[in-house]
């Protein structure tokens, strides 16, 4: 390998302590690419990592898994990518050979998911080091809260060069997860009733996916009135304030039980709420990440009504293929991402963005890492 490169990155050294440091990034090895990161999204999974909800074995590490940028260096053995390609990041780089991939579930790729959650590359090592040489984890193999990232080639998905990076940054995280929940996990059909519990960054994409599927009504539930306004812009037709009264009963007052409820918060009480809104034969899909070791209680009478409770991981489909398709759809104006972005910041503002997310303030925050690549933002998002 060649000489390491010095880059600025957010580093998590202990739970809750995130600082911007200069770190060392080794060049890409065989089957790897180096990407100049343009922009990244701040996701609840980053909050879970930083607050310790995913366990304590990831430290020290560089967070960030939802982003986009430009390939600037290729390792050996890569034929489908070129230097200069615009790419969005896929945080489960599928091997295509394991049992899960062969069964048509690349989102569950066994080595891809294992290495991603261990914070390492395919060979079990990291390309990131502290200035003193101490290895740093690469959160979900991507570690894109940094000026540059080395990742498996399968994690870099080509996208249209005309798609602005500040929008493309969300495709491989919130968009593919939210739309995949509707298309792949629940398989929502036209005119079915849908309820979405939690209208943050991913919840808004679930609502947009339900609108694309032709669902009606689409009921949005949140504690924050501002989130319900964003939900209306994404296609929700009915709204329930999660802080007032019997929320499940309010949903049933709109529709006598929904065909599909989506929980996009990750709390036991909101999983139970989603379950309680479902009609006989309906399904509650848990999109939110429930913290490690937390139990969820449901009313077992729903089982007698043939209700189903199911989980979801990374859109429950073929993430890389769907990232490419959704990026193209956004680029052609068929899917709006801009309205789900409430804030923009830089690497120094990631901590504040995480705090906003903890307090349900706004929707998605975009981290502008390379202003030259990102270009001008809408006036309301100027950093």
């Amino acid at each position: 390998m060649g000489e390491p490169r010095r880059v600025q990155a957010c580093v998590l050294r202990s739970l809750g302590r995130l600082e911007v440091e200069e770190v060392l990034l080794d060049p890409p090895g065989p089957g790897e690419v180096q990407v100049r990161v343009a922009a990244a999204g701040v996701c609840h999974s980053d909050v879970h990592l930083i607050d310790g909800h995913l366990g304590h074995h990831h430290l020290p590490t560089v967070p960030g898994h939802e982003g986009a940028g430009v390939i600037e260096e290729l390792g050996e053995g890569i034929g489908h990518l070129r230097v200069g390609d615009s790419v969005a990041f896929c945080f489960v780089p599928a091997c295509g050979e394991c049992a899960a991939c062969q069964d048509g579930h690349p989102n569950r790729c066994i080595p891809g998911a294992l290495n991603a959650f261990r914070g390492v590359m395919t060979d079990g090592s990291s390309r990131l080091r502290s200035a003193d040489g101490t290895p740093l984890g690469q959160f979900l193999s991507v570690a894109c809260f940094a000026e540059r990232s080395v990742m498996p080639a399968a994690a870099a998905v080509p996208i249209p060069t005309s798609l602005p990076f500040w929008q493309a940054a969300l495709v491989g995280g919130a968009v593919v997860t939210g739309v995949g929940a509707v298309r792949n996990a629940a398989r929502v059909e036209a005119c079915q009733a849908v309820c979405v519990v939690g209208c943050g960054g991913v919840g808004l994409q679930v609502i947009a996916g339900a609108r694309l599927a032709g669902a009606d009504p689409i009921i949005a539930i949140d504690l924050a009135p501002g989130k319900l306004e964003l939900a209306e812009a994404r296609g929700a037709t009915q709204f329930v304030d999660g802080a007032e009264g019997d929320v499940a009963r309010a949903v049933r007052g709109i529709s006598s039980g929904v065909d599909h409820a989506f929980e996009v918060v990750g709390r036991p009480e909101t999983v139970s709420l989603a379950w309680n809104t479902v009609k006989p034969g309906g399904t509650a899909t848990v999109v939110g990440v429930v913290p490690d070791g937390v139990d969820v209680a449901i009313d077992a009478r729903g089982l007698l009504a043939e209700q189903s409770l199911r989980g979801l991981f990374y859109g429950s489909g073929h993430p890389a293929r769907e990232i490419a398709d959704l990026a193209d759809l956004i680029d052609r104006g068929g899917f709006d991402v801009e309205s789900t972005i409430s804030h923009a910041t830089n690497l120094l503002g990631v901590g504040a963005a995480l705090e906003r997310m903890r307090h349900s303030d706004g929707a998605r925050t975009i981290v502008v890492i390379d202003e030259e690549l990102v270009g001008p933002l809408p006036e309301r998002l100027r950093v």
Side-chain angles (χ1 to χ4, degrees):
M1 281 192 178
E3 291 297 314
R5 185 165 196 154
R6 296 181 181 273
V7 300
Q8 295 292 308
C10 291
V11 181
L12 179 68
R13 295 199 173 276
S14 59
L15 296 183
R17 180 188 165 205
L18 190 67
E19 296 182 1
V20 177
E21 304 177 13
E22 184 176 81
V23 301
L24 301 176
L25 179 66
D26 289 324
E32 300 170 1
V33 298
Q34 179 176 296
V35 180
R36 179 181 170 188
V37 182
V42 180
C43 175
H44 241 116
S45 296
D46 298 304
V47 175
H48 286 307
L49 170 75
I50 291 162
D51 290 351
H53 297 158
L54 301 180
H56 298 252
H57 56 285
H58 299 278
L59 309 182
T61 193
V62 174
H65 62 285
E66 180 184 70
V70 173
I71 292 178
E72 60 181 7
E73 189 175 345
L74 302 174
E76 296 178 5
I78 298 173
H80 68 291
L81 297 170
R82 296 288 183 270
V83 171
D85 283 352
S86 295
V87 293
F89 306 151
C90 173
F91 63 78
V92 178
C95 69
E97 299 176 357
C98 70
C101 287
Q102 291 297 309
D103 287 343
H105 301 289
N107 65 308
R108 298 186 218 149
C109 173
I110 297 168
L114 177 63
N115 290 327
F117 282 97
R118 288 175 58 210
V120 297
M121 302 291 281
T122 305
D123 65 0
S125 65
S126 172
R127 300 293 166 265
L128 282 167
R129 291 177 287 140
S130 298
D132 64 3
T134 303
L136 297 171
Q138 299 180 224
F139 185 46
L140 296 181
S141 296
V142 174
C144 62
F145 287 168
E147 293 176 325
R148 282 169 171 80
S149 174
V150 169
M151 63 187 69
V157 181
I159 58 173
T161 56
S162 52
L163 179 62
F165 285 116
W166 60 274
Q167 296 181 35
L170 300 187
V171 180
V175 176
V176 75
T177 298
V179 176
V182 174
R183 289 180 174 177
N184 305 323
R187 301 192 178 186
V188 174
E189 298 178 358
C191 299
Q192 288 188 320
V194 164
C195 169
V196 179
V197 182
C199 301
V202 177
L204 294 173
Q205 306 301 349
V206 174
I207 290 169
R211 179 185 60 78
L212 283 175
D216 186 50
I218 302 172
I219 305 167
I221 301 173
D222 204 280
L223 297 171
K227 295 280 187 69
L228 296 178
E229 292 176 7
L230 290 170
E232 183 175 17
R234 297 300 282 163
T237 61
Q238 306 287 339
F239 311 91
V240 175
D241 185 339
E244 294 187 5
D246 187 333
V247 177
R249 184 174 181 179
V251 172
R252 290 179 178 275
I254 298 170
S255 175
S256 55
V258 296
D259 297 284
H260 298 281
F262 296 90
E263 193 279 348
V264 204
V265 181
R267 296 176 181 169
E269 61 270 26
T270 47
V271 174
S272 298
L273 170 60
W275 175 260
N276 292 335
T277 67
V278 172
K279 72 179 185 181
T283 301
T285 300
V286 180
V287 184
V289 179
V290 179
D292 192 33
V294 173
D295 294 330
V296 173
I298 61 171
D299 185 344
R301 288 175 297 178
L303 300 173
L304 293 175
E306 298 186 340
Q307 291 177 212
S308 298
L309 179 68
R310 66 156 297 158
L312 170 114
F313 179 61
Y314 207 13
S316 292
H318 192 302
R321 183 184 302 157
E322 293 176 11
I323 288 168
D325 291 344
L326 287 165
D328 184 63
L329 181 63
I330 296 167
D331 188 50
R332 291 187 284 107
F335 192 86
D336 167 43
V337 171
E338 179 179 349
S339 65
T340 68
I341 302 170
S342 58
H343 298 80
T345 188
N346 52 34
L347 284 176
L348 294 172
V350 170
L354 294 165
E355 195 63 20
R356 282 194 296 272
M357 186 162 280
R358 293 186 185 100
H359 291 89
S360 298
D361 178 11
R364 249 327 181 250
T365 294
I366 287 294
V367 185
V368 176
I369 298 172
D370 191 312
E371 293 184 4
E372 181 182 355
L373 288 178
V374 170
L377 296 171
E379 185 63 36
R380 67 181 182 85
L381 295 177
R382 295 287 167 83
V383 178

